Structures are given as C-alpha cells and as structure tokens.
C-alpha cells in the first residue's frame, strides 16, 4: 500500500510565483531539458503545468516508486506544513548528502533479514553444506557486481575490501613500482589534484618505495588533451600509475572516461616520461548515480564503495582489477584463505590461483556481501536501472543549480557562489552535486558552520567542509598552500567548525541527490535559502503570493502568555523554579530574587567612579555590575534549576551538569535530538541529599546525589569527544525517562573519582598554567551572559502585532534559551567579550572567550517548540558571528572553606587591554 503523503502542489507553484527569476529558471531550464511537461500534462488532462510539476516529474521519468522510496522505503517521515518554517520533531527529514552516503530502502533491509532468518550461512572457508551455500551465494554476487558494470569474469576480477579506501591502499601496496636507483629510472605516481584524500594518501606508499609522486591539476590535463600525443619510447615498459576520479566528490565534475584509453595508449600523458601508464579510476562517487561500462572504458583498477550505491551495508567495498594487469601485482602479507599451501617452520608459501582468493585476506564480510544481492534487487525494482537514476538525479540537480544561480539580493548581489566546472548542461559532464557558499548582500561569505546550523533547524541534512578533497577545495576557493598551513597554526583542522579565518572561507557547503530524492526535497532546500537570505530590511519574509505560503506563525512563533519585560522591568526567576530555604537555613521560606535585581534602565550619567576606573570599564558604563540570576543544570540538556545562593566546587557550580541522559547505545542525548529534554525539571535538595525530577504527566522521582562508589559499575561515555567515566543511576529512573521520552534511555552520572580537563584554548595574554576540571559541560566551568546583550537581541527580535501589545520573545524566554549559569545586569551590550578577567564577590575568574552558539538557542525552554529567528537574528546583528555569552573558569580556588556564588554579588571586570596594569 502506498502511503505517500502528497504536498499541496498549488502552494509550491505560488511560492515560485513570488520569485519570478526562479519560476523563469524552472520553465526555461528544467522543463525543456528533461521534462516534456505540457505533453505529459495534456495526456493527464491538466491545464496548469506549473502546479503539477511533481506529478509530471514522476510520469516523464518513469519513476515507478518515487513515493515509496521517499516514505516507508527510506524510513523518512514526509513533510507537513508549508516548509517556510522549521519543522516540528518527527516531520520530514530532507536528506541531501547522498554523495556522502545514500539511504537504503526499507524493502532491502526487510528482504535481507528475511533471507538470514530462512537460511544458515556458514564460514565460506569450511566445507559443510551451510558454508557451501555461503560460497556459492558470494560468487553469485560477484557475477552480479561485474554484470552491473557491464563486464565479465573473463575481463575483470573483483576483490572484496572494507571500502574504496582499502581498495586504494591495496593498489598502492601491490603495484609493481620500480624504485629510482643510480642506473635506472623510476616509476611515477601521478594523481589529479581533484581527488579524495584516500587517493592522495597513496603517495606515502610510493614514497616508501622511492617513487616520485606528481600532482596534476585538471587544467594541466585539459591542456595536455589539446596538445595531443607526445613522443615516447614504445619499448620502455617502466610502469607508471595515474589516478583520477570519474566524478569529483567536491563539485560533481565528471572527468572524461576517454582519458583511460588515451593515457594507457600514450596519446595523453599526465607527465612527459617514458614508460607504460596504468590507470586507476576512482569510481566511488560516480557509480552511486550512474552506470559505468567497463567494456567500453577498461580502467586497470576501479575501487568502489557499495554504501554509496545502496546505503547498506556499510564497511564493504571492492577493487575491480583488469585481468591483464593482475599478474603484475605483488603481494607480501598472506592471510587465512589465501594460501594453496605454506609451511610454518620454513619460508614456503604458494598462493591460491584466483585473484580474489589471493588478495582477500581472512574471512570476508560474507553476510554483508549477501546483503548486496538485496540491494541490487531493490534498486532494479524501484528505479528500473541506473540510466533512470542518472536522469532523475541530474534533473533535480540542474533545476536546483539554475534556481540557486538566479537568486539575487535586492541590490543585485548573488545569494550563493557556486563552485563548478560546468553549467550543468549534461550528466556527461556533471553529477548530481552542487557545491557552494552562501553570501551576504555585500558579497561576503557566510561561514559553512552557520549555514549547517540553520539548515538543521529546517531538518535539512547537508555536508560542509572540504569533503576529504583538499585539492578541489583549494582550487575552487582560492586557498594557497601557505594559507592551509596558516589555518592549521590558527587551530583549524579538517572536519572542524572553523569556517572563516580572516574573513576567508576554509570550506564550503555541498548538497547532493540520490535515487530517492524528490522534487519536494529540492524545493524544501530552496525555501530554506530564500527564507533565511531573502527578506526585507525589517526582517520580515518576502511577501508570498498566497497566505498559505506566507509564513504564518507556527507553534514556535505563537505569542506566549508570559507578561512582557520592558527596559524598566527586572529579570524575574525562571517560572516553576524553586529554592528550598532549608538548605541555607534562611529565616523566610520565600527567597525574593526580584528584590535583588536592579532596574535595566539606561545610563543617566557618564561620570566614572573610582571602581570603574580601577576595573577598566568603558566610559559611559554604569557600575557596579550585579549578578541578577543564578542557574544550574543538574542534568545536561534538561531544564534549569534557579537558585539565589549556591556552593561551588572544583568543577563549577555544585552538581551543574553532573548527570546526562543517554540512549540505548550509551550516546548522550541533547535537545538537538530530543526536544522534550527541556521539559524535564530537576530540583536539588542538599539537605536531604537527593535530586527530585519532575515532568508533566509523570510522578516525581528521586535520585540520590551520591552513590556508594564501591558498589556502582563504572562505564565509559563521551562528551564533546572527551572520554568520561560514569555510572548508571538505575533501572527505576531509566524506566521513568524512557516512558516520558518514548525511547529507551538511561540516566548516568560522572564518576566522582574521574577528572576531566578543559581543552579550551587561552587567548592572547592569558595564563596557560591553569587547567580547569570539568563536569559534563561542553566547554567550560561557567557561562555568563549580560542582560544588556539580551535586551539588544530582544529589540531585534520582537515586532509588535497589529495592536502593538504583545511580543513574540519575552526577555525571560530569551534568557532561558542561552542556558547560562550567571546572569548579570551589564550596561553595554556584549561588553563582556572585551573582558579578560572578572571578580564576582570574593571569587576570581578568567574569561576564556565567547560561546559559539548552535541551533539549541532556537528552542523555547518552556514549551520545547522551535523558532529559527533567534539564531538568524543573532547572526545578522553580530556580523555572522553567532556568539553569545562568555566562558569563565576559576583562576584560583581555595575549597578549604565553603565558597558560594550569590545573586546580588558585585561583578568587577578587567578589560583585556588593562591586563598587567590592574592587580
């Protein structure tokens, strides 16, 4: 049964009518090139082609199961709503990283598990019946893989590997290199600079063999093509190896398959040296959406990864070896299953005759190999073949590329800069990959990390960075070798979130389509770009042609019942929080935090006091600064517990982030994965030594603050790549959390005997001799925010309704979103970022730097609903630096007597330029 949920297509057409340039692109680029829309729609009796684009797409491409792939077959929920606002949890995921790993259909997994349940597959190296079944099934899969690439066992041998990287390593180690010597020439290893890291890494093996490696740019190869054949010695058989990708995993550029025969025949030389050239074609990216005909393009070596094609299984690849070159390969190590005979007490070994048996050391992952059979079945059943996949994915990519290229700011500036060597004219020259950076209206690049965070708010999954292809990244972004080294010195490494250095991008954004991608996916991505970049100066979305698509407030944007907070109001305690007065033996059972909060009025005088001068406070600032609120978060990512006075320990506020919720695999859950964590409210009673946990619809449950360390079982978990020792808090709280969150989970606590040190880098002029110990926090012991900074963001965010009476983002809501420990009443927005040190009461802290914000600030901590405006407005107002608040750590701490932080304490900062001049 097909339970595909159809989008209201009329709304989609109206969206594009609001953007004439996009609609024009759609009509003039995609429709004529790949979709005979009007013919198709006339056949179906349609009068409005634009409003039935998706139906035409399905009909013209002959896509027999697009709907099935997009829903139950891929396991992804489909969209609801208009797509102009971030989705609620559980709605459609728009997956646009098929070049990284495609998705598997449900039927493939179902049929594979059914196969395993109905058959017993034994180790193929044995001789029993079950092992014979395994061996025969594996061989049948080999034939099918070769047939998929239009070749036979007579021409190619296939060696199963753990992936394409292992296949490349195998070639590097087995290739018949000739080392340079005093009387002989050497082999050459040449590779296109637009190659995956795993190809470039082969040069280290060549280096160990005294073989020179030569990088060749695409421009060099295109120039060599134009120059034609070069004179060479036909008798010289010195072996050289040239490696290039059929498709760039960075930009989707498809390099000519004709290079294979031209290089092998000597008509095209990567470098002008005598000898015989062999060609390795890296097909891992190409074959995910295109057919490769090895009968026509006979590369010597072809590495592939099957998860790029089928999504499942992962960790399985293959090396296809041309049988004419197989005898030349050399092998040193031999493993189980490769020997025809060998002696343990004598250097005697004879390999098995077949190439596969010779190179497949040990027992292959035979169950994963069997899974490939079901991958081929599903691919053929759902798509009809790779040719259909090529047409389908290229149509989506070409449409999206054309639409993106046409987007302009009101001043005419481009919205995105696309990195490509083609105009997406044909799938012969371009794959279904689009690589780009988003620009502001001045032409400055917006860091890929920010784009990634914003995309996640729309449930759009894309890829950022350099994609394990530094050569292409340098070429397209203009990054020199010296800049790469400078970026490393500045702390940037491959795969991190350092996206801009000195205003220059260190990487880019990539989207890619697969066979289950839909037109709705492309539209959702374009809506995301339009919604976040093309808006009026006042911050409102560009007017739409229909109220249905106009971005009416979602649940995230509904006006809250909380009274508005103006500049004259005080920051009140978090609603629902309580402080047990018995802990501190206070005379009153009610702690009046509001009474300690000074008004947030503007400065009435600019005269500095002696205290202000000593602290280095800027002219015009009011002093002294005062702590207005204190929060701790006993359970990581759960609700805050507000206090007015609280003890501190060597890791920060006592019991702050001492616990965390993990899934059934022991992986930490945050609000990014589970919004409802913010609705779990912990309360700590120091006198009774318990933590009480509450949530709506659940009975309160108690957890002891400490367990007998000799009785608990220590387990290991991870927090921000750090290994931490923890212990499980028991089945009772596990069942409670699992019931509330609707998924199996556990509560774990950091072991009291485990010490985790901070990795935060110190700023210029800061002491490097101090090491902070951390609880389960991400970065530092404390996070401080300034109410003046909140107020500035509040003013950017809040726009009055028609009656001008209500605000969408009350101050209390904004404060809670940033999940800080210390709230203070600063008098200048973001002044805290200029501080180097700060004293709060009798305690001294070092300011480690700003907190780089993620999409969690878009979550309303009282309701669990999301609204992307907070992140977007913060980014816009801060020149694309999504920073808010500063990290603090103790500079010195004497715990021989109790130490406390208190609301009402004076905050005395020291400016960075005053360090060394102020004691």
């Amino acid at each position: 049964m097909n339970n595909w949920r159809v989008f209201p297509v009329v709304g989609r057409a109206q969206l594009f009518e609001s953007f004439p340039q996009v609609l024009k692109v759609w009509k003039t680029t995609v429709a004529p090139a790949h979709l005979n829309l009007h013919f198709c729609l006339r056949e179906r009796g349609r009068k409005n082609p634009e409003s039935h684009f998706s139906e035409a797409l399905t009909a013209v491409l002959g896509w027999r199961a697009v709907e099935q792939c997009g829903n139950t077959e891929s396991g992804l929920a489909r969209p609801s709503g208009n797509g102009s606002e971030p989705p609620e949890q559980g709605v459609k995921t728009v997956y646009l990283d098929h070049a990284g790993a495609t998705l598997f259909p449900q039927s493939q997994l179902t049929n594979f598990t059914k196969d395993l349940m109905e058959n017993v597959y034994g180790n193929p190296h044995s001789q029993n019946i079950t092992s014979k079944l395994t061996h025969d099934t594996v061989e049948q899969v080999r034939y099918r893989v070769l047939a998929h690439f239009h070749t036979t066992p007579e021409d190619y041998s296939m060696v199963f590997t753990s992936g394409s990287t292992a296949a490349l390593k195998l070639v590097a180690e087995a290739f018949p290199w000739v080392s340079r010597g005093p009387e002989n020439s050497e082999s050459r290893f040449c590779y296109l600079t637009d190659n995956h890291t795993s190809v470039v890494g082969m040069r280290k093996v060549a280096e160990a063999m005294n073989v020179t490696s030569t990088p060749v740019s695409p421009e060099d190869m295109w120039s060599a093509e134009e120059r034609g054949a070069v004179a060479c010695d036909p008798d010289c058989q010195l072996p050289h190896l040239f490696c290039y990708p059929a498709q760039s995993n960075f930009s989707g550029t498809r390099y000519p398959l004709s290079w294979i025969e031209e290089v092998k025949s000597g008509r095209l030389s990567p470098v002008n040296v005598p000898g015989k050239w062999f060609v390795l074609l890296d097909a891992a990216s190409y074959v995910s959406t295109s057919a490769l005909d090895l009968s026509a393009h006979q590369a010597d070596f072809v590495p592939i990864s099957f998860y790029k094609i089928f999504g499942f299984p992962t960790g399985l690849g293959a090396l296809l070896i041309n049988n004419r070159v197989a005898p030349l390969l050399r092998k040193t190590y031999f493993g189980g299953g490769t020997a025809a005979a060998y002696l343990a007490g004598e250097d005697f070994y004879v390999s098995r005759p077949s190439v596969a048996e010779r190179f497949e050391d040990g027992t292959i992952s035979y169950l994963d190999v069997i899974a490939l059979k079901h991958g081929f079945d599903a691919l053929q059943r759902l798509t009809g073949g790779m040719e259909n996949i090529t047409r389908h994915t290229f149509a989506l990519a070409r449409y999206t590329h054309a639409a993106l290229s046409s987007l302009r700011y009101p001043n005419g500036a481009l919205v995105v800069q696309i990195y490509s060597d083609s105009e997406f004219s044909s799938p012969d020259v371009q794959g279904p990959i689009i690589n780009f950076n988003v620009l502001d209206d001045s032409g400055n690049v917006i860091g890929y990390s920010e784009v990634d965070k914003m995309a996640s708010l729309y449930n759009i999954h894309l890829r950022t960075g350099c994609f394990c292809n530094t050569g292409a990244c340098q070429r397209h972004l203009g990054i020199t070798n010296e800049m790469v080294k400078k970026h490393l010195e500045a702390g940037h490494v491959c795969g991190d979130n350092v996206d801009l250095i000195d205003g220059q991008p260190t990487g880019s954004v990539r989207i890619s389509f697969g066979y289950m991608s839909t037109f709705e996916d492309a539209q959702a991505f374009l809506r995301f770009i339009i919604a976040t970049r093309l808006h009026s100066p006042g911050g409102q979305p560009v007017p739409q042609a229909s109220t249905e698509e106009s971005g009416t407030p979602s649940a995230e944007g509904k006006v809250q019942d909380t009274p508005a907070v103006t500049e004259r109001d005080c920051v009140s305690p978090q609603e629902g929080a309580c402080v047990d007065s018995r802990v501190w033996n206070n005379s009153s059972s009610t702690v009046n935090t509001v009474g300690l909060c000074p008004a947030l009025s503007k400065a009435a005088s600019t005269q500095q006091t002696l205290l202000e001068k000593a602290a280095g406070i800027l002219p015009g600032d009011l002093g002294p600064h005062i702590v207005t609120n204190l929060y701790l978060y006993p359970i990581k990512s759960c609700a805050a517990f507000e206090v007015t006075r609280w003890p501190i320990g060597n890791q920060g506020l006592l019991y702050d982030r001492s616990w965390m919720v993990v899934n059934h695999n022991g992986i930490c859950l945050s609000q990014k994965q589970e919004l409802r964590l913010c609705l779990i409210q912990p309360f700590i009673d120091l006198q009774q030594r318990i933590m009480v946990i509450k949530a709506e619809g659940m009975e309160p449950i108690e957890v002891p603050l400490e367990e007998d360390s000799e009785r608990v079982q220590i387990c290991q978990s991870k927090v921000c790549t750090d290994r931490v020792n923890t212990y499980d808090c028991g089945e009772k709280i596990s069942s409670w959390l699992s019931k509330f969150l609707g998924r199996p989970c556990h509560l774990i606590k950091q072991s009291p005997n485990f010490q985790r040190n901070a990795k935060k880098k110190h700023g210029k002029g800061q002491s490097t001799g101090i090491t902070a110990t951390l609880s389960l926090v991400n970065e530092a012991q404390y996070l401080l925010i300034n109410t003046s900074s909140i107020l500035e963001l509040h003013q950017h965010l809040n726009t009055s309704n028609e009656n001008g009476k209500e605000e969408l983002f009350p101050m209390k809501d904004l404060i809670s979103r940033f999940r800080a420990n210390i709230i203070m009443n600063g008098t200048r927005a973001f002044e805290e970022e200029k501080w180097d040190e700060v004293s709060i009461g009798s305690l001294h802290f070092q300011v480690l730097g700003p907190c780089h914000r993620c999409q969690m600030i878009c979550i309303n901590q009282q309701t669990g609903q999301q609204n992307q405006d907070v992140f977007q407005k913060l980014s816009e107002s801060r020149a694309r630096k999504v920073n808010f608040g500063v990290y603090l750590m103790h500079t010195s701490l004497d715990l021989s007597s109790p130490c406390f932080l208190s609301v009402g304490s004076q905050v005395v900062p020291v400016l960075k330029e005053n360090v060394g001049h102020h004691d």
Side-chain angles (χ1 to χ4, degrees):
M1 178 179 178
N2 182 357
N3 53 1
W4 166 263
R5 186 174 179 185
V6 179
F7 246 168
V9 288
V10 175
R12 290 197 298 274
Q14 290 168 337
L15 172 66
F16 289 117
E17 287 167 4
S18 301
F19 301 95
Q21 69 269 38
V22 178
L23 186 61
K24 180 180 179 181
V25 164
W26 167 62
K27 290 180 176 179
T28 61
T29 306
V30 180
H34 290 278
L35 306 175
N36 191 349
L37 281 174
H38 291 278
F39 171 78
C40 172
L41 295 171
R42 280 200 305 270
E43 291 294 310
R44 293 172 175 244
R46 305 297 191 187
K47 297 181 180 179
N48 183 3
E50 287 82 355
S51 68
H52 297 280
F53 185 99
S54 186
E55 185 175 352
L57 182 72
T58 302
V60 173
L61 291 180
W63 209 248
R64 293 179 288 181
V66 165
E67 298 89 343
Q68 204 174 14
C69 265
N71 188 15
T72 56
E73 282 290 271
S74 68
L76 298 182
R78 302 312 295 173
S80 61
N82 58 26
S84 62
E85 297 174 352
E88 292 285 357
Q89 203 170 24
V91 301
K92 158 142 183 176
T93 293
V94 178
Y95 184 83
L96 295 176
D97 188 25
H98 292 274
T102 198
L103 303 175
F104 57 83
Q106 181 180 341
S107 62
Q108 178 184 346
L109 197 60
T110 300
N111 292 334
F112 173 51
T113 53
K114 183 173 181 288
D115 187 349
L116 296 185
M117 296 298 293
E118 294 177 350
N119 297 282
V120 178
Y121 292 104
N123 190 313
H125 292 165
S126 299
Q127 297 299 317
N128 57 59
I129 296 175
T130 58
S131 298
K132 182 70 164 56
L133 175 63
T134 303
H135 177 271
D136 292 345
T137 306
V138 167
E139 293 309 303
Q140 188 65 32
V141 172
R142 285 190 208 274
Y143 300 150
R144 189 158 185 180
V145 172
L146 292 173
H148 181 77
F149 294 111
H150 302 277
T151 189
T152 65
E154 285 68 42
D155 292 324
Y156 279 86
S157 296
M158 195 187 75
V159 177
F160 283 113
T161 65
S162 63
S164 58
T165 295
L168 292 163
K169 185 170 180 285
L170 190 158
V171 173
E173 293 173 342
F175 190 79
W177 305 109
V178 174
S179 302
R180 60 177 171 269
E183 298 181 359
N184 64 283
S185 300
E186 61 173 321
S187 295
R188 286 292 186 96
F189 171 54
C190 291
Y191 57 90
L192 203 68
T193 53
D194 187 356
N195 252 315
H196 193 278
T197 302
S198 298
V199 172
V200 180
M202 295 171 67
R203 71 186 183 196
K204 298 301 290 184
V205 179
E207 179 184 330
M209 298 292 296
N210 288 322
V211 169
T212 299
S213 297
T214 305
V216 181
S217 71
E219 289 79 7
D220 291 338
M221 287 298 293
W222 291 325
S223 297
E225 267 192 306
E226 294 176 357
R227 290 194 304 267
V230 295
C232 61
D233 182 0
D235 297 326
C236 182
Q237 296 297 304
L238 191 65
H240 308 301
L241 180 63
F242 174 59
C243 303
Y244 81 99
Q247 173 177 289
S248 168
N249 72 311
F250 182 92
S251 64
T253 296
R254 289 185 166 173
Y255 293 102
L257 296 178
S258 58
W259 283 0
I260 297 171
E261 184 56 36
E262 290 175 4
V263 170
K264 290 173 62 176
S265 65
R267 297 194 302 272
L268 176 64
S269 294
V271 293
N272 190 14
V273 293
K276 179 177 177 59
W277 283 98
F278 297 87
V279 177
L280 183 152
L281 180 72
D282 181 4
S285 179
Y286 181 87
V287 299
S288 62
T289 57
S290 291
L292 176 62
D293 187 348
L294 290 180
S295 66
H297 307 289
Q298 296 186 0
D300 298 299
F301 310 100
V302 183
I304 58 174
S305 278
F306 291 108
Y307 74 93
K308 302 276 189 182
I309 307 173
F310 306 121
F312 176 85
T314 58
L316 183 66
L319 176 65
L320 278 64
I321 303 173
N322 193 311
N323 287 336
R324 286 177 292 182
V325 304
L328 302 177
L329 300 181
R330 301 178 300 201
K331 189 168 184 283
T332 52
Y333 174 83
F334 64 92
T338 65
Y342 79 96
L343 293 174
E346 182 182 324
D347 187 10
F348 174 78
Y349 165 79
V350 177
S351 68
R352 289 181 178 270
S354 79
V355 175
E357 290 176 316
R358 183 178 161 204
F359 283 97
E360 289 175 353
D361 291 305
T363 302
I364 62 173
S365 185
Y366 56 87
L367 293 182
D368 286 337
V369 172
I370 294 170
L372 296 181
K373 184 263 183 190
H374 302 283
F376 281 114
D377 289 346
L379 200 70
Q380 184 65 33
R381 183 180 68 255
L382 296 174
T383 70
M386 296 302 295
E387 290 75 14
N388 287 337
I389 293 176
T390 301
R391 290 197 300 270
H392 173 69
T393 55
F394 180 74
L396 293 175
R398 187 181 187 190
Y399 159 71
T400 307
H401 170 266
L404 279 178
S405 301
S406 71
L407 293 179
R408 298 288 190 279
Y409 286 104
N411 65 0
L414 289 169
V415 174
V416 300
Q417 179 178 354
I418 296 176
Y419 306 112
S420 175
D421 292 311
S422 78
E423 294 299 323
F424 285 69
S425 58
S426 163
D428 294 334
V429 297
Q430 179 65 47
I433 294 174
I434 305 174
N435 195 303
F436 62 96
N437 266 317
V438 179
L439 310 176
D440 64 15
D441 56 5
S442 298
N444 300 310
V445 171
I446 297 172
Y448 61 74
S449 180
E450 180 184 338
V451 176
D452 190 25
K453 291 173 182 177
M454 283 299 300
S456 68
L457 294 174
Y458 288 76
N459 247 355
I460 295 174
H461 297 250
L462 38 75
R463 182 84 175 265
T464 59
C466 274
F467 323 102
C468 295
N469 191 333
T470 299
C473 192
Q474 287 187 256
R475 174 172 170 259
H476 285 285
L477 274 64
I479 302 174
T480 64
N481 293 348
E482 291 70 26
M483 290 170 67
V484 172
K485 297 172 184 177
K486 180 182 177 183
H487 294 170
L488 179 63
E489 292 175 357
H492 170 56
V493 297
C494 292
D496 67 13
N497 291 325
V498 181
D499 49 15
L500 295 172
I501 296 180
D502 297 330
Q504 298 301 310
T506 62
S508 55
V509 182
R510 185 187 76 184
I511 63 171
S512 50
F513 298 97
Y515 76 82
M516 70 287 296
S517 298
T518 65
F519 181 63
E520 284 80 4
D521 293 335
Q523 282 192 314
F525 170 74
L526 291 171
R527 282 197 194 93
F528 154 66
I529 295 294
I530 291 169
T532 55
R533 302 313 310 163
L534 294 179
H535 48 77
S536 66
Q540 296 301 308
V542 176
Q544 306 288 313
S546 165
T547 56
E548 179 185 348
E549 297 284 342
S550 63
T552 54
S554 67
E556 299 93 324
K558 290 181 180 177
V559 176
Q560 305 294 316
D561 295 332
T562 309
V565 179
T566 66
E567 290 185 17
R568 296 188 180 89
D569 292 326
C570 295
V571 182
S572 60
Q574 185 185 41
E575 186 176 14
C578 69
V579 179
D580 192 334
S581 60
R582 294 173 298 171
V583 173
W584 308 117
N585 297 318
N586 292 334
S587 58
S588 170
S589 61
T590 303
V591 181
N592 186 4
T593 306
V594 177
L596 297 173
C597 179
L600 298 177
S601 59
K602 293 183 178 179
S605 170
T606 59
Q607 184 177 3
Q608 288 183 300
T609 64
L610 292 177
L611 177 63
E612 291 168 336
K613 292 178 180 178
I617 298 175
L618 293 174
D621 287 346
L622 275 181
H625 302 71
I626 299 294
V627 174
T628 61
N629 300 79
L630 284 175
Y631 297 98
L632 62 147
Y633 305 83
I635 306 175
K636 186 178 177 69
S637 241
C638 290
F641 175 49
E642 184 174 16
V643 297
T644 56
R645 186 170 182 262
W646 197 255
I648 64 174
N650 59 1
Q651 296 177 340
L653 289 168
L654 192 62
Y655 297 117
D656 182 46
R657 276 96 169 184
S658 289
W659 292 265
M660 66 181 179
V661 180
V662 297
N663 68 9
H664 63 289
N665 289 323
I667 307 301
C668 176
L669 289 177
S670 74
Q671 292 180 27
K672 296 177 187 178
Q673 299 90 27
E674 183 54 73
L675 293 174
R676 285 169 57 81
L677 284 172
C678 69
L679 306 180
I680 298 174
Q681 175 70 66
F683 302 88
I684 289 182
D685 188 327
L686 291 177
Q687 189 175 46
Q688 297 189 38
R689 310 290 298 166
I690 60 171
M691 175 171 63
V692 179
I693 305 175
K694 299 180 180 180
E696 185 177 355
M698 303 289 291
E699 290 293 326
I701 187 171
E702 296 180 1
V703 174
L705 295 183
E706 305 291 347
E707 294 279 0
D708 185 350
S709 59
E710 295 182 357
R711 298 178 56 184
V712 298
Q713 183 176 356
I714 301 300
C715 55
Q716 294 191 345
S717 302
K718 265 194 172 182
V719 174
C720 292
T721 72
D722 290 343
R723 178 184 60 83
V724 293
N725 284 357
T726 61
Y727 63 83
D728 196 302
C729 295
E731 287 301 319
K732 185 177 179 182
I733 182 60
S734 173
S735 298
W736 190 96
L737 290 168
S738 300
K739 180 180 179 182
F740 180 73
L741 297 176
R743 63 162 76 183
C745 52
H746 296 264
L747 183 69
I748 62 176
K749 185 178 188 291
Q750 184 171 353
S751 173
N753 301 322
F754 180 79
Q755 180 171 305
R756 174 183 170 225
N757 295 326
K759 293 182 179 178
K760 189 72 177 181
K761 296 185 182 300
H762 299 283
K764 184 178 180 181
Q766 292 180 329
S767 171
T768 58
I770 302 170
T771 301
T773 59
L774 303 179
S775 61
L776 300 176
V777 295
N778 287 351
E779 297 267 2
Q781 294 170 332
Y782 301 89
L783 178 61
L784 177 146
I785 63 173
N786 174 0
T787 52
S788 293
S789 307
I790 290 282
L791 186 58
E792 180 173 293
L793 179 61
H794 177 267
Q795 292 168 343
H796 280 289
L797 279 168
N798 283 288
T799 54
S800 299
N801 64 4
E802 294 180 358
N803 299 321
K805 294 180 180 179
E806 296 176 310
E807 57 185 357
L808 296 177
F809 295 94
M811 281 284 286
K812 184 173 68 174
D813 171 24
L814 286 179
I815 289 174
S816 67
R817 288 171 184 259
F818 290 99
R819 299 179 63 80
N821 299 112
I822 304 167
I823 318 295
M824 63 149 224
N825 69 323
T827 56
R828 186 185 296 271
F830 303 107
E831 61 178 309
E832 63 274 15
E833 294 183 1
K834 300 175 182 177
W835 299 349
D836 190 81
E837 299 174 8
V838 64
S839 295
I840 303 176
S842 61
L843 301 171
H844 303 281
F845 303 88
Q846 185 176 29
V847 179
L848 298 181
C851 175
H852 304 290
R853 291 298 179 168
C854 68
Q855 57 270 32
M856 270 182 60
I857 65 174
C858 297
I859 302 171
N860 184 312
Q861 295 297 299
Q862 281 71 48
T863 65
Q865 296 172 334
Q866 295 186 86
N867 189 304
Q868 88 282 8
D869 290 345
V870 179
F871 189 94
Q872 187 170 346
K873 286 296 180 184
L874 180 61
S875 171
E876 293 171 358
S877 64
R878 306 225 60 209
R880 303 188 307 279
K881 294 180 180 179
V882 195
N883 298 337
F884 202 97
V886 291
Y887 289 123
L888 307 180
M889 80 168 184
H890 301 297
T891 55
S892 61
L893 186 63
D894 181 8
L895 292 178
S896 60
S897 58
C899 297
F900 299 87
L901 274 176
S902 302
V903 169
S905 296
Q906 186 170 331
V907 180
V908 182
V910 177
L911 289 177
K912 292 180 179 179
E913 56 264 33
N914 288 0
V915 173
H917 305 286
H918 173 67
D919 187 4

